[in-house]
Amino acid sequence: MGLFDTIVKRFLEEGGKYASFSIVFPDGRTQKAGSGEEDFRIHIKSKEVYSQIALKGTFGLAEQYMLGNIDFDGNFEKALELSVEIATPQQNWLSHNLNQLQYKLFGNTKHRSLRNVREHYDLGNDLFERFLDPTMAYSCAYYKTPSDSLEQAQINKYEHICRKLMLSEGETLLDVGCGWGGLLIYAAQNYKIKGVGITLSKQQYKYSTAKVKELKLNDQIEIKFQDYRDLTGVYDKVVSIEMIEAVRWTQYPEFFSILSKSLKEGGLGLIQTISTINPYHSREPWFNKYIFPGGELS
């Protein structure tokens, strides 16, 4: 029995405990698992899928789906979740180590961070303008009521953060990973603070500096193209909204130390982050390469 056959056998045996499904092979053969109404069906359309999954594990599975060599009918979410849950802990030695290498290659050194940001955030401001709210917030919103628009929910979040930081007129605010500048602009307009934002995205830097100039807030806000590891100076308040996801767990001590040193004595800091009940998924090599280069959820 070949490696791919072993993987399929294990998937059918283990997966059949949690779902009813079938696998259709390139030669037309069908193998079924589970009982009751079928949840999903997997179509393997090319023999290339065999070697890629055997060699690369879940990374190979995802790439073959992108290429159209494998497809799903029915409950796609359940099929994908089951595939990852079963394949992840039982990858062969080679695919496991290839995935680990892929994960390390996208690590957030200063040099790699620039490349990771370029491959995600620098795809073009026009792209992000198509699906973000007018403030260009690229982070979780705060819906007070079901009828809140996306823009209102993002403004709710800005206000919530400003109040938690207890911002006062004339205070200095550092925004680590300021994105397109939405929070700093809100804080400057509504709380009369003086803010500094840093970003490693050339597109975000271009957009936010232009927006600050357009709103005539140059005397209150400064945007810097800078890595957080190069920060100097101290501020009354420090905020970082969903930027810590681009910091590897091993870098947390350095990250928090830098933020702490950036605060004046008695100052306040606030970090907003995304978390997951399954941290492995953020380490998936396909996710790291194609969705969020260098990303790591807590």
Side-chain angles (χ1 to χ4, degrees), residues 154-164 186 191:
Q154 293 294 8
I155 291 172
N156 293 344
K157 178 186 67 184
Y158 294 152
E159 176 64 17
H160 193 59
I161 289 172
C162 290
R163 290 170 66 86
K164 276 189 171 291
Y186 182 87
Y191 286 83

Side-chain angles (χ1 to χ4, degrees), residues 37-77:
E37 185 177 352
E38 190 170 86
D39 295 299
F40 59 86
R41 177 168 292 193
I42 302 173
H43 296 270
I44 298 176
K45 302 179 180 181
S46 169
K47 291 183 178 180
E48 184 183 354
V49 173
Y50 302 165
S51 61
Q52 291 301 304
I53 291 180
L55 179 65
K56 300 179 181 178
T58 53
F59 184 72
L61 171 69
E63 286 198 320
Q64 289 302 299
Y65 175 73
M66 290 170 63
L67 293 170
N69 290 335
I70 189 168
D71 205 355
F72 302 87
D73 287 334
N75 191 328
F76 176 78
E77 184 177 354

Side-chain angles (χ1 to χ4, degrees), residues 38 89 103 185 268:
E38 190 170 86
Y103 171 74
I185 290 171
L268 285 176

